[in-house]
Amino acid sequence: MLDKKSLRILKILQEKARIPNTEVSRLVGLAPSAVLERIRKMELQGIIDGYEVRLNPERFLRNQVAFINVEYDGGFDGDGAIGQALAAIEEIQEVHYIAGKDSYLVKLRVADTRELGNVLRDKIITIEGVLSTNTSTVLQTYKETARISIR
Amino acid sequence: MLDKKSLRILKILQEKARIPNTEVSRLVGLAPSAVLERIRKMELQGIIDGYEVRLNPERFLRNQVAFINVEYDGGFDGDGAIGQALAAIEEIQEVHYIAGKDSYLVKLRVADTRELGNVLRDKIITIEGVLSTNTSTVLQTYKETARISIR
DNA sequence: TATGAAATCAACTGTTT
DNA sequence: AAACAGTTGATTTCATA
């Protein structure tokens, strides 16, 4: 479905999404108009979902990462209501429903452990149906990317 | 440190990083050259780390997400050697060292559970010092973003 | 730090192969 | 699908406020 040139374009965009099209065209050996058309097509097909700036969390007081296991009472989770309530919390970056454990795994970013406590107390355990939480705080991050290796 | 206009620019770039500067300038009410200079400065200061394309994982056979707890023998983790070895695995998107548990938490993306098994068997448990793994597979994802709310 | 003018370069369209 | 040429529009620099 995607040929070598398109994969090449995506790899370039994964590194530097704000690169000019003409530079991409030089790198992949196509005319700028051809590159433009390929990118457009991939955007329309939903292969490319968008472009994001990567901000440095340290500069925005979002240095503390934590993962939280959220257990709940099944009676309150119709249509994933709890997952949606968790997703609405701004400090939470990821909400996953985990197989087998009947629980959600949540990733969040806050300034420090004090703020972590506040979010837990004020925003998470107050969700109707949430029974308990189990927090793992991160001491060090060795890798953190949304990149997928393209093949 | 960052005034209202710069925050506004960052918010715009978080949504659409490939937006032309002139359009940003119209949105924030500054001249294009002023927008350019602000963005340049934030790039140099490390506030902006880069720009990424967001690809649709389904289109690249990366639909299965899993979180893996990796326990290890402390004697083999000098200088975070195990964290680094985990980070080098292409299917792994995140590697975090977790407080208290003496373990790593890893997030990965693969095509399916078969591939998950292969990565575990061939790439993770083969790292010297890794004692055991505990995998949580994701059934549904409600939210998944690297965005931080700017303030 | 912002603006505005001017130059360079890129984006985009239409046409052709 | 791609290239080419032409037009529109964006980026960038610089002088100035």
Side-chain angles (χ1 to χ4, degrees), chain B residues 9 26 53 81 99 135:
Chain B
I9 291 170
R26 280 189 290 268
V53 68
T135 301

Side-chain angles (χ1 to χ4, degrees), chain A residues 45 59 62 149 151, chain B residues 45 59 62 97 140 151:
Chain A
Q45 291 172 338
R59 306 301 188 101
R62 288 285 191 274
S149 58
R151 47 179 168 191
Chain B
Q45 291 172 339
R59 306 299 187 102
R62 288 285 191 272
Y97 185 76
Q140 196 176 349
R151 49 177 168 193

